[in-house]
Amino acid sequence: MKNHYSYYLMVVLIFSSFISAFGQNADLTLISSVATPININTGEVLNVTFKVQNIGSSASGLSHVAFYISPTTNFGDGVVLSVVSLETLAIGGNTGDIIFTYPVPYSVVPGNNYVLISIDPYNTVAESNEANNNFYSNSILNVSANILPSQTLPYPIIFVHGLNSNSETWNDLLITFQNYYGWSYGGDMHFCLNQDANTSTGELTNDYYDWTGNLYPADFYRVNFDVNPNGVPFNNTVESNQSAIYKQGVAIQSAVNHVLQTTGKDKVILVGHSMGGLASRTYLQNTNLWQSDGKHHVAKLFTNGTPHGGSNATSFGGGLGGTNELSEAIRDLRYSYYSGAVGAYLFGGNENTTDITGAISNFCNIDVNCNGQIGDNITGLNQKTIPNDLAYSCVIGVGSGLGGDGVVDAARANLNNYFAVSADTFELITPGVAGVWHTELPKQVYGNIKGIDEPYEYVQGYEVKSNELTFGLISEQSLGAPYVIDYDDFKINVSAAGNLNIKAYNIPLSNYQIDVLDVSLNYVYSGLSNGKSYLDINVPVNQGVYYVEFSGTPDASSWYYPYAFKLTYPNTVTNIEITETTNKVFQNFNYPNPFDNQTTISFNLLKSDLVTIKFYDTQGKTISMIAEQMKEGQNEVSFDASNLSSGVYFYTIESGGVLESNKLTVSK
């Protein structure tokens, strides 16, 4: 049972409305901001530490802060990064240091740029002075044309195209992802599925060849079946992209392996349009195709306009020119043949020409299982078991006037009609030509974002590593979903008892909540953001598996503005003497221990960067925080402990994604 907070939220909103109604003289303004690094590549993560204060004579209500990167100081020339929530501020109150972090989108023009910050961009707070809400950074960002892909998603995504198509099916969508979110592209994986150039035979050993070249660690990759036997893509003459679905499943096996090896991640997300969804299912539903350790390593399968129940659309809906109606793929996609027999690949049957017949003559071959022999009894894909240890979702095209999306009937696109997997379903009406909308489905940004959304079941939670920056989205839930709230579940394996530190950045909603549960689903922490866009909390934990859940009620724009988080354990390291680190960020730590009313921590920083230092008590409560842009070389930070009792305390120091921690003793 999820921990609902509707009543609490209602009280917060009523209180905020009360403040807005009577707080007519609030005045929000920016009192500090620092952007790092100054020299940055496209795709690299930008950090902005800022502070907002209410200098008016009345309290302010809930609001927002918007961030842009622009080659000028004009907001109209900029690329919007995100809009984050801003809490209620009392008279004279300030937010404290807030950290905003975001990859530089690919739409940013290389060269000199400014970070622009707009407070209360929606004008939800009535202010005595509306002219002091827009700011630009004093320091100019030098954005390099070089692309430095960063992995910001929990798992890399593999996009698989459909019949008689290629990886460019996804161009519109993925360019938008790069320009909106800064998601990075790691390369195409090319497979020829008719390597012997003979379509009259379907033997896998002769037909399959992996032409994949260099890949790079990134957020997403594409599979391409439009490949000639010489390895040249995008103009194949051997019907490689109309080849048997089983061969495609073998290619997905290789694609998953490539991406796991390239990224170092343990799992991938598969996204398949049309037949690409069946190719992905073929991999998942044939255990002999899994990876060498006997696991499939898939966290989620999202299918888009996939004919789970087959399609008999002539020329596959007329939307895919040049399709051979007698190809292997058409043979496998049909739910019935012209003989009246059911489609063997999906529903089972015998490899014989009596049953497997095409419109004019027999299909180019009837070797459905691609083993070089005919006459086999085929167990259909929809007759095989499907793994239940991953999440599923599907987009269903509707409203074409021809049934479903014009190629796939709505009922046949719904995976839940064939397996009890509780797939999230989303109906999507898209613009198209002559009512054939099937080929438009991969271009629809919001529909695809909803399908990619993180799972809301704890056991399907995406696993993250300590101190790994990860981005997520609060988006609209599916048809028939048990919740209106978007619950995003993640899992972390804590190796030692201590404090699990949770940093949540870029929170776009005022009703954002964080819950932490142990492996038995007992709550160990639950808290609301109360309008804040940045949270830094510590949760005492033991060694073991924990689920961390981020949730909020989506609004019209929350899907556009991703949140980010880091989970780090433990904050308290009690048995390490730090003299010199090997992580190439900090060196030569020096401090007195124990100390009394004042202590100075000195260290060598190998690169100028934002450094965040925090001091904690044994319960994980933050006593003090220092966040400063520090220079390369020797640095010193003083800590006032005059108000502390004698005892044990801890500190953490973080820069460039590297965290160090140690114990301090106060003796008076």
Side-chain angles (χ1 to χ4, degrees):
M1 178 68 67
K2 302 291 184 180
N3 184 22
H4 294 280
Y5 50 86
S6 301
Y7 175 76
Y8 186 90
L9 175 60
M10 180 178 68
V11 173
V12 171
L13 293 177
I14 291 173
F15 179 69
S16 300
S17 300
F18 177 83
I19 291 175
S20 297
F22 293 94
Q24 299 300 308
N25 297 312
D27 187 10
L28 299 174
T29 192
L30 187 75
I31 58 175
S32 67
S33 68
V34 177
T36 58
I38 297 299
N39 297 308
I40 194 166
N41 298 287
T42 302
E44 191 175 2
V45 173
L46 173 72
N47 295 296
V48 181
T49 302
F50 69 101
K51 186 183 295 185
V52 175
Q53 186 171 16
N54 177 13
I55 60 175
S57 57
S58 293
S60 67
L62 297 171
S63 185
H64 294 84
V65 179
F67 294 86
Y68 299 74
I69 295 181
S70 175
T72 72
T73 57
N74 186 341
F75 281 77
D77 296 331
V79 173
V80 63
L81 298 181
S82 189
V83 177
V84 303
S85 182
L86 182 64
E87 67 263 38
T88 295
L89 292 176
I91 300 170
N94 69 71
T95 59
D97 284 326
I98 301 174
I99 301 176
F100 170 78
T101 184
Y102 207 89
V104 175
Y106 289 61
S107 51
V108 170
V109 177
N112 291 336
N113 280 269
Y114 296 87
V115 175
L116 309 183
I117 301 175
S118 178
I119 300 172
D120 192 27
Y122 303 141
N123 292 319
T124 55
V125 175
E127 299 184 64
S128 57
N129 180 8
E130 298 284 357
N132 62 348
N133 285 355
N134 293 336
F135 301 86
Y136 61 88
S137 57
N138 292 325
S139 299
I140 297 177
L141 293 182
N142 178 20
V143 179
S144 171
N146 296 326
I147 295 175
L148 183 65
S150 55
Q151 294 177 253
T152 60
L153 298 180
Y155 297 119
I157 305 174
I158 299 175
F159 290 90
V160 190
H161 66 79
L163 174 69
N164 197 24
S165 184
N166 58 50
S167 55
E168 293 182 347
T169 293
W170 302 103
N171 276 4
D172 289 353
L173 178 70
L174 300 186
I175 289 171
T176 301
F177 285 168
Q178 289 178 307
N179 290 341
Y180 279 11
Y181 305 130
W183 290 0
S184 56
Y185 163 61
D188 275 9
M189 293 171 281
H190 300 289
F191 302 93
C192 182
L193 304 183
N194 266 327
Q195 184 69 19
D196 64 1
N198 182 1
T199 60
S200 65
T201 61
E203 187 173 4
L204 177 68
T205 54
N206 295 326
D207 284 354
Y208 175 81
Y209 197 85
D210 183 350
W211 286 98
T212 301
N214 292 331
L215 301 174
Y216 304 94
D219 289 320
F220 65 83
Y221 302 81
R222 304 186 303 184
V223 165
N224 180 45
F225 298 135
D226 184 7
V227 184
N228 258 324
N230 59 2
V232 176
F234 306 127
N235 189 29
N236 95 87
T237 59
V238 295
E239 297 185 3
S240 175
N241 56 355
Q242 299 182 58
S243 194
I245 298 177
Y246 186 80
K247 297 176 194 174
Q248 298 176 36
V250 175
I252 301 302
Q253 175 194 48
S254 296
V256 171
N257 182 61
H258 284 316
V259 172
L260 293 177
Q261 295 298 318
T262 300
T263 63
K265 296 284 190 174
D266 182 58
K267 292 183 180 180
V268 302
I269 297 168
L270 294 177
V271 178
H273 173 240
S274 192
M275 188 172 61
L278 294 180
S280 302
R281 278 184 52 195
T282 297
Y283 167 69
L284 285 169
Q285 291 180 251
N286 289 276
T287 57
N288 61 298
L289 298 183
W290 291 2
Q291 303 303 307
S292 58
D293 61 358
K295 300 178 182 179
H296 55 71
H297 293 273
V298 177
K300 184 171 191 175
L301 171 63
F302 164 41
T303 63
N304 185 314
T306 291
H308 295 292
S311 174
N312 286 359
T314 302
S315 294
F316 218 63
L320 301 171
T323 303
N324 177 8
E325 281 292 290
L326 298 177
S327 68
E328 292 176 333
I330 291 291
R331 176 200 68 199
D332 292 345
L333 285 163
R334 294 188 67 89
Y335 55 79
S336 65
Y337 303 120
Y338 288 90
S339 66
V342 298
Y345 189 78
L346 289 173
F347 298 102
N350 187 268
E351 295 175 336
N352 64 73
T353 54
T354 301
D355 290 340
I356 305 178
T357 58
I360 302 171
S361 61
N362 291 334
F363 290 100
C364 60
N365 71 72
I366 57 173
D367 189 5
V368 175
N369 58 7
C370 305
N371 66 354
Q373 302 175 2
I374 60 174
D376 296 327
N377 286 314
I378 302 299
T379 301
L381 192 65
N382 286 344
Q383 297 172 316
K384 297 179 179 181
T385 59
I386 195 166
N388 60 8
D389 59 347
L390 67 152
Y392 292 91
S393 62
C394 55
V395 157
I396 301 168
V398 296
S400 70
L402 301 176
D405 59 25
V407 171
V408 183
D409 294 340
R412 294 183 184 275
N414 191 338
L415 183 60
N416 294 311
N417 290 337
Y418 302 92
F419 296 95
V421 292
S422 300
D424 291 327
T425 58
F426 303 91
E427 289 187 347
L428 190 59
I429 300 176
T430 66
V433 179
V436 181
W437 299 348
H438 182 74
T439 55
E440 296 296 314
L441 292 175
K443 303 175 185 179
Q444 308 308 308
V445 178
Y446 192 26
N448 284 283
I449 279 294
K450 290 188 287 187
I452 293 171
D453 187 39
E454 300 82 6
Y456 55 75
E457 296 291 347
Y458 300 119
V459 295
Q460 296 171 352
Y462 293 165
E463 187 164 1
V464 294
K465 297 178 181 178
S466 179
N467 206 38
E468 185 175 68
L469 182 65
T470 303
F471 285 78
L473 294 165
I474 300 295
S475 60
E476 182 182 359
Q477 296 305 281
S478 66
L479 298 171
Y483 313 107
V484 175
I485 297 168
D486 183 9
Y487 295 95
D488 294 342
D489 289 335
F490 300 88
K491 178 172 66 174
I492 188 166
N493 193 349
V494 177
S495 61
N499 285 311
L500 175 63
N501 177 247
I502 304 172
K503 292 183 176 69
Y505 312 86
N506 312 352
I507 300 171
L509 300 165
S510 60
N511 62 344
Y512 186 86
Q513 178 161 328
I514 300 177
D515 295 302
V516 181
L517 300 89
D518 63 22
V519 72
S520 299
L521 303 186
N522 299 308
Y523 282 85
V524 297
Y525 175 84
S526 183
L528 278 167
S529 64
N530 296 321
K532 294 183 178 180
S533 68
Y534 173 65
L535 296 174
D536 187 348
I537 59 177
N538 288 286
V539 180
V541 293
N542 296 315
Q543 181 180 358
V545 172
Y546 287 84
Y547 298 104
V548 181
E549 182 175 71
F550 303 95
S551 61
T553 303
D555 61 22
S557 60
S558 59
W559 67 275
Y560 192 95
Y561 304 124
Y563 64 88
F565 67 91
K566 280 185 182 180
L567 309 179
T568 307
Y569 66 84
N571 281 332
T572 55
V573 180
T574 60
N575 57 354
I576 297 178
E577 290 294 330
I578 297 179
T579 56
E580 182 170 346
T581 64
T582 59
N583 53 43
K584 299 182 180 180
V585 175
F586 306 108
Q587 283 185 333
N588 302 324
F589 279 81
N590 186 29
Y591 58 91
N593 195 12
F595 63 94
D596 45 28
N597 290 336
Q598 189 84 11
T599 190
T600 298
I601 299 174
S602 65
F603 57 90
N604 188 54
L605 188 63
L606 299 189
K607 177 184 176 183
S608 297
D609 205 348
L610 177 69
V611 177
T612 302
I613 304 176
K614 295 184 179 181
F615 297 88
Y616 304 92
D617 62 19
T618 55
Q619 302 301 311
K621 180 181 177 181
T622 302
I623 301 168
S624 178
M625 181 181 86
I626 301 168
E628 294 181 3
Q629 180 71 22
M630 296 189 181
K631 67 181 185 301
E632 179 181 339
Q634 195 70 16
N635 288 270
E636 291 186 349
V637 175
S638 295
F639 172 56
D640 183 2
S642 58
N643 294 325
L644 299 182
S645 303
S646 297
V648 175
Y649 298 86
F650 304 91
Y651 79 85
T652 62
I653 180 168
E654 179 181 9
S655 180
V658 176
L659 184 79
E660 293 291 341
S661 56
N662 210 351
K663 179 175 67 175
L664 297 170
T665 302
V666 174
S667 179
K668 296 183 178 180

